[in-house]
């Protein structure tokens, strides 16, 4: 089976989405699940930059290394290159939807809604202290753990053949 290709999107691509990228890669590896993961921002202020030091620190504390990742801006090619495009908050979701070709709209979701059926944002921690990053870390852990379980689900349990009795 081809690995799922997942793109996380936030505003700056230095706090939330790089943390989600590193975390999903880490959790998928532990679960022996083959995925292609990347992240991007809707804004271009941090292109080529390392993730925010506070994101690197909270990830490092939990055994995840973000230092090979660099900021980039979402591009129209991403809608072909990825199967799932998961936005952190409603504003990111609006921006991604506005950029998406109509055919790609079904790939675009709010992360917590897709993973946990919870229509809630992962809040922007940029102007917060370290506790803001801890909150983002714990929300992303919940979201990415559920995402790994969903991606690892055999087709027979995902509903695709539920009508075949
Ligand atoms: P992120 O956080 O969207 O989670 O990466 C932000 C990073 C930078 C800025 C805003 C949010 N900024 O305005 O530069």
């Amino acid at each position: 089976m081809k690995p799922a290709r997942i793109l996380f999107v936030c505003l700056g691509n230095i706090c939330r989405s790089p943390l989600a990228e590193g975390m999903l890669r880490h959790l998928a590896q532990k679960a022996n699940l083959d995925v292609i993961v990347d992240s991007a921002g809707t804004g271009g202020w941090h292109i080529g930059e390392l993730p925010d030091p506070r994101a690197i620190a909270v990830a490092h504390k939990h055994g995840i290394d973000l230092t090979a990742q660099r900021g980039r801006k979402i591009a129209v090619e991403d809608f072909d290159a990825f199967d799932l495009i998961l936005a952190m908050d409603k504003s990111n979701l609006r921006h991604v939807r506005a950029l998406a070709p109509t055919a790609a709209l079904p790939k675009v979701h709010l992360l917590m809604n897709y993973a946990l059926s919870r229509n809630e944002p992962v809040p922007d921690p940029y102007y917060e202290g370290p506790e803001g990053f801890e909150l983002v870390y714990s929300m992303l852990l919940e979201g990415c753990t559920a995402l790994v379980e969903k991606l690892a689900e055999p087709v027979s349990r995902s509903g695709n053949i539920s009508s075949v009795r």
Side-chain angles (χ1 to χ4, degrees), residues 35 38 92 97 105 114 139 141 152 155:
V35 286
D38 198 359
N92 310 147
R97 282 188 171 147
L105 281 171
Y114 183 82
M139 290 187 81
L141 183 58
V155 174

Side-chain angles (χ1 to χ4, degrees), residues 52-141:
D52 186 285
R54 297 164 295 175
I56 292 178
V58 77
H60 181 76
K61 193 170 134 186
H62 297 280
I64 302 170
D65 180 16
L66 304 185
T67 60
Q69 299 175 205
R70 295 294 181 273
R72 75 171 181 93
K73 192 175 174 184
I74 189 169
V76 76
E77 297 77 38
D78 287 322
F79 295 100
D80 265 338
F82 294 92
D83 306 307
L84 260 183
I85 300 177
L86 300 175
M88 294 294 145
D89 64 30
K90 305 268 166 73
S91 164
N92 310 147
L93 185 65
R94 252 193 326 273
H95 280 101
V96 175
R97 282 188 171 147
L99 277 178
T102 308
L105 281 171
K107 298 178 172 182
V108 181
H109 306 267
L110 193 68
L111 165 64
M112 296 303 265
N113 205 11
Y114 183 82
L116 290 154
S117 302
R118 288 198 334 227
N119 195 20
E120 62 183 43
V122 178
D124 185 348
Y126 191 58
Y127 294 105
E128 308 292 327
E131 69 290 346
F133 281 78
E134 288 290 350
L135 172 68
V136 165
Y137 180 87
S138 63
M139 290 187 81
L140 290 178
L141 183 58

Side-chain angles (χ1 to χ4, degrees), residues 10-16 45-46 124-127:
C10 61
L11 175 59
N13 192 215
I14 54 169
C15 301
R16 291 164 291 175
W45 312 285
H46 302 286
D124 185 348
Y126 191 58
Y127 294 105

